[in-house]
Amino acid sequence: MKRRSKKFDNEPQEKYTGGVKNDCSHEEHHPMGQATRTTKLLLDLSERRQGGANSEKRAALHATEEVLTQARAFYIDFFLAHADKLAERVPYYSEKHLEMRERPISANELLSWAETRTVATREHPEPLEGWNFTERFPAMPFVYRRSVIKDAIGKVRSYLSNVANWKQSGKKKGRPGRPGARDHPTLYQGSCSMQLASGDLRARFVQIKVYDGQGWRWVNYPVKCSRYFQQRLGEEAWEHKSPILVLRAHSAELHFPQSQEIAARKVRESKLDPDLVTVAIDLNVKNLAVITVRQHGTIIETIFVTDHGLDQQRYRHLKRIAKKQWQSGRPVKGEHSSKQLWQHVRRMNEDAAHKVARIIASVCARYPGCVLLFERLRKIKAKGGGKSRRMNRKQANQLRGKINQKAREKAFVEGVVTAEVNPHGTSQFCSRCGLKGERFSLREGKRIKEPWGKLFWCPHCHYEAHADWNASVNVHHSFFHELHWQPRRKKSA
């Protein structure tokens, strides 16, 4: 699983880690790995008379971020000037092979080498000419210096790797740009301490070492702490990482990354179990998720998760946005149009995705060792209708992807792995006999055949069911290669 370090969402959550193919095989995600999540603690930047931080404390946070950005830029330039050092290979003794081998130089070794070349100490009083970090950033705490060195190493290594891949591709355009120096400061031990156990809300604060424009000093910042945050931070199963300071225009937060080792069976191993439970999800617009649980070929549980009017509410907001864009004419480069409305729409989608994903994860938790199934949907384009309708369809499609991503992340914490199956015909074929059926709607007692109908009818076996439920059951068939979901034979040459 990919490690999550500095990308965060709007609420505490777990982080771990379609074009449709012609065959019916499913994608398998590696189940053995590290689950990571981030818990946020808000700094209170309200008015001083309301218990928040004063203006000087707020200015010190931004001054600290600016100084660390300049220090990070210094070391990015330093490592780019000594790119050969990053490609160096060092010998080591392999316990596994019982012989001497070579490996790339580690980040810790690069950090030590960079400090000896740029920082004036008793052992190394004269740094390299033009690279005297001590002279340019006097009295900077060593924990901050080491954090920016580690950031610079990661950025430069990624840049050099991208440039090498670009050169190997033979392309003349699209050369990767130089790495930027701006990033969220990492608060290693010795630059941040917390006092959150006090019963008095006004006595809860975080002490951070900041730069006030003249020097470095400790400053107390009041926080908006909750029992939920203390509960998450106190869970022993999760390993704690160094907090990260995230500054925005009108807010400041401390993000606390946590990690946990997760062990689960692989999908292919689970498929051999005759008692395997599969949880299939059909994502739609009105019914955000139709969850069906199957065991021994029988559906044992069904849950409909509706949008509670989200689609119509989002459509009204996007209609206002489209009208404002029409009234304002051609947009000006660099200006945001209907910024607050767009933020509200995105928050609505984010909130709905988290709620639906939590319901899916709770269902998976009731069946230990189950497999979570999604359709492999990648490219769904919104066509037809007015501008507001197309924008609404795009937002609905993005919501499907968010639900898919967050559900598999939250389910992985429970030891549940996810597989994506071939979606071909899940909404068009009968889940009972496997033949092609029809979708229809009931209007004034009449059956009206239409592709977007809420009901499904099979003219061969006369089976009738809810269309979304029928599609969710077909996801199980696609996973087990039942009915018409059989792998296609390869054509001979």
Side-chain angles (χ1 to χ4, degrees), residues 225-365:
C225 185
S226 64
R227 291 178 296 174
Y228 180 76
F229 170 81
Q230 291 180 318
Q231 176 187 352
R232 292 286 292 266
L233 209 62
E235 293 181 6
E236 297 181 355
W238 292 85
E239 181 184 355
H240 301 276
K241 307 293 183 181
S242 299
I244 297 169
L245 178 62
V246 179
L247 298 179
R248 296 190 173 93
H250 303 288
S251 65
E253 306 159 355
L254 286 178
H255 289 192
F256 293 83
Q258 296 170 285
S259 63
Q260 181 183 11
E261 293 294 331
I262 301 295
R265 290 189 301 177
K266 293 184 178 181
V267 175
R268 293 184 179 180
E269 296 175 359
S270 300
K271 211 169 182 179
L272 300 176
D273 184 4
D275 300 324
L276 174 65
V277 177
T278 53
V279 180
I281 313 297
D282 178 70
L283 302 177
N284 219 303
V285 180
K286 299 292 185 180
N287 291 314
L288 291 180
V290 179
I291 309 171
T292 55
V293 183
R294 168 176 152 165
Q295 188 179 29
H296 301 146
T298 305
I299 302 299
I300 60 177
E301 184 178 359
T302 300
I303 298 177
F304 284 78
V305 183
T306 60
D307 68 341
H308 299 287
L310 171 66
D311 187 63
Q312 288 296 326
Q313 187 177 3
R314 185 178 57 218
Y315 174 72
R316 289 195 295 268
H317 290 312
L318 294 174
K319 200 171 183 179
R320 290 178 58 192
I321 292 174
K323 185 177 180 180
K324 288 185 175 183
Q325 290 177 352
W326 174 75
Q327 290 175 339
S328 61
R330 188 172 183 178
V332 180
K333 186 176 181 180
E335 291 187 3
H336 293 281
S337 174
S338 305
K339 183 177 180 180
Q340 293 181 342
L341 274 176
W342 275 116
Q343 289 178 345
H344 180 61
V345 170
R346 294 189 184 100
R347 283 196 297 265
M348 290 168 56
N349 272 2
E350 195 75 18
D351 180 65
H354 277 294
K355 289 180 178 178
V356 176
R358 175 49 54 198
I359 295 174
I360 295 173
S362 63
V363 173
C364 294

Side-chain angles (χ1 to χ4, degrees), residues 438-456:
E438 300 174 353
R439 296 185 65 163
F440 69 94
S441 298
L442 287 176
R443 296 179 186 170
E444 299 179 357
K446 298 181 180 180
R447 300 163 66 99
I448 300 176
K449 179 182 176 181
E450 50 191 10
W452 53 86
K454 296 181 180 180
L455 302 175
F456 178 87

Side-chain angles (χ1 to χ4, degrees), residues 199-213:
D200 185 7
L201 295 179
R202 293 181 178 273
R204 297 179 180 180
F205 61 88
V206 170
Q207 195 176 42
I208 305 176
K209 203 164 192 177
V210 296
Y211 182 74
D212 60 0

Side-chain angles (χ1 to χ4, degrees), residues 132-150:
N132 193 333
F133 182 85
T134 308
E135 183 179 321
R136 288 189 56 183
F137 302 93
M140 175 178 283
F142 72 94
V143 288
Y144 278 128
R145 183 182 69 238
R146 292 183 176 179
S147 71
V148 297
I149 293 176
K150 282 289 189 72

Side-chain angles (χ1 to χ4, degrees), residues 341-413:
L341 274 176
W342 275 116
Q343 289 178 345
H344 180 61
V345 170
R346 294 189 184 100
R347 283 196 297 265
M348 290 168 56
N349 272 2
E350 195 75 18
D351 180 65
H354 277 294
K355 289 180 178 178
V356 176
R358 175 49 54 198
I359 295 174
I360 295 173
S362 63
V363 173
C364 294
R366 294 200 291 268
Y367 303 96
C370 66
V371 176
L372 180 61
L373 305 178
F374 281 98
E375 295 175 296
R376 190 191 297 115
L377 301 175
R378 291 293 187 271
K379 298 178 181 178
I380 305 178
K381 295 185 178 180
K383 299 179 181 179
K387 183 175 182 179
S388 55
R389 180 175 177 82
R390 292 196 304 274
M391 288 195 300
N392 194 28
R393 292 283 73 80
K394 288 181 180 179
Q395 292 295 321
N397 296 337
Q398 290 180 11
L399 178 57
R400 293 182 186 180
K402 289 178 181 291
I403 294 174
N404 186 322
Q405 175 191 359
K406 298 182 187 305
R408 69 174 59 194
E409 292 166 356
K410 295 179 186 295
F412 191 75
V413 182

Side-chain angles (χ1 to χ4, degrees), residues 93-235:
Y93 182 76
S94 174
E95 296 287 348
K96 179 179 179 180
H97 301 90
L98 302 178
E99 63 180 3
M100 294 297 296
R101 292 198 165 195
E102 288 187 350
R103 59 168 175 80
I105 187 171
S106 66
N108 289 331
E109 291 170 335
L110 283 173
L111 185 147
S112 301
W113 173 80
E115 286 187 324
T116 59
R117 296 299 188 273
T118 59
V119 181
T121 61
R122 292 182 179 178
E123 292 78 9
H124 308 90
E126 296 182 1
L128 293 177
E129 185 178 355
W131 301 106
N132 193 333
F133 182 85
T134 308
E135 183 179 321
R136 288 189 56 183
F137 302 93
M140 175 178 283
F142 72 94
V143 288
Y144 278 128
R145 183 182 69 238
R146 292 183 176 179
S147 71
V148 297
I149 293 176
K150 282 289 189 72
D151 292 343
I153 292 172
K155 287 176 176 291
V156 173
R157 273 187 161 169
S158 176
Y159 166 74
L160 296 177
S161 176
N162 291 335
V163 170
N165 293 336
W166 174 78
K167 290 181 178 179
Q168 188 176 5
S169 66
K171 297 180 181 179
K172 296 183 179 180
K173 296 183 179 180
R175 181 186 177 90
R178 285 173 57 90
R182 190 163 295 278
D183 207 341
H184 300 304
T186 302
L187 306 180
Y188 288 168
Q189 185 177 4
S191 60
C192 176
S193 64
M194 294 187 297
Q195 181 65 37
L196 306 177
S198 174
D200 185 7
L201 295 179
R202 293 181 178 273
R204 297 179 180 180
F205 61 88
V206 170
Q207 195 176 42
I208 305 176
K209 203 164 192 177
V210 296
Y211 182 74
D212 60 0
Q214 298 178 352
W216 297 85
R217 62 187 181 93
W218 289 96
V219 176
N220 294 333
Y221 287 90
V223 297
K224 297 179 180 179
C225 185
S226 64
R227 291 178 296 174
Y228 180 76
F229 170 81
Q230 291 180 318
Q231 176 187 352
R232 292 286 292 266
L233 209 62
E235 293 181 6

